[in-house]
Amino acid sequence: MAEQPSTFIRHIGLCTADIEGASTFYSQALGFEPLGDIVDIGAPFDELVEQPGATLRVQQLKCGEATIELLGYRDTEVTGAAERKPMNALGFTHMTLMVADIDDTVARICEFGGQVHRN
C-alpha cells in the first residue's frame, strides 16, 4: 500500500448565495453525489470563516475522488461579483471534469441554469 502523503486536499469550498440551487446543479447537472443533507452550523465555525455570529449552511458533494463543500449563509450577506471572471483574475479559476457524454452534460448544465462558453 502506498504511503499517505503528508499534505493532501480534503475538499474545496465554494460560497454560494443559493445553496439549494447549487446543490441541485452539482448533483443533477454534473452527477456529484451529496455526502449528506444541507446542515446549518454556527460556533465555532463562524469564527473559522471570519463571520462572527453567522450560521453557515453546508453541504459536501463528491465526484470521483474530489469533494466540494458548498457554503451558504443563513443570516449573513454573501458578497462578491456573480459575473464570470477572466482566467487571469486572482483566485479560483476553474475545475476540470471528465464526462462520458459531452453533449448530454452540456444539455443538463443548461437545463439546470448553467451557461456554456464556447471559445
Side-chain angles (χ1 to χ4, degrees), residues 30 39 53 60 64 66 80 84 88 114 116:
L30 298 177
V39 297
Q60 291 188 338
R84 183 177 182 222
N88 65 336
V116 177

Side-chain angles (χ1 to χ4, degrees), residues 55-70:
T55 301
L56 285 79
R57 307 203 68 216
V58 177
Q59 184 177 45
Q60 291 188 338
L61 300 103
K62 192 165 185 67
C63 181
E65 295 298 313
T67 301
I68 62 170
E69 181 175 72
L70 300 176

Side-chain angles (χ1 to χ4, degrees), residues 21-85:
S23 177
T24 298
F25 178 80
Y26 279 101
S27 61
Q28 299 298 312
L30 298 177
F32 282 58
E33 295 291 328
L35 295 178
D37 293 331
I38 296 171
V39 297
D40 293 341
I41 56 176
F45 296 101
D46 60 333
E47 296 291 335
L48 180 67
V49 297
E50 300 174 334
Q51 297 297 317
T55 301
L56 285 79
R57 307 203 68 216
V58 177
Q59 184 177 45
Q60 291 188 338
L61 300 103
K62 192 165 185 67
C63 181
E65 295 298 313
T67 301
I68 62 170
E69 181 175 72
L70 300 176
L71 300 173
Y73 290 87
R74 177 177 294 274
D75 47 15
T76 301
E77 181 183 7
V78 175
T79 65
E83 295 82 30
R84 183 177 182 222
K85 293 183 351 178

Side-chain angles (χ1 to χ4, degrees), residues 2-3 8 14 16 19 24 40 44 56 67 69 71 77 87 90-91 97 99 108 112 116 119:
E3 186 175 321
F8 60 95
L14 302 173
T16 177
I19 195 166
T24 298
D40 293 341
L56 285 79
T67 301
E69 181 175 72
L71 300 173
E77 181 183 7
M87 291 292 286
L90 291 174
L97 303 172
V99 299
R108 285 194 324 271
F112 287 95
V116 177
N119 293 339

Side-chain angles (χ1 to χ4, degrees), residues 65 91-92 110 113:
E65 295 298 313
F92 186 83
C110 293

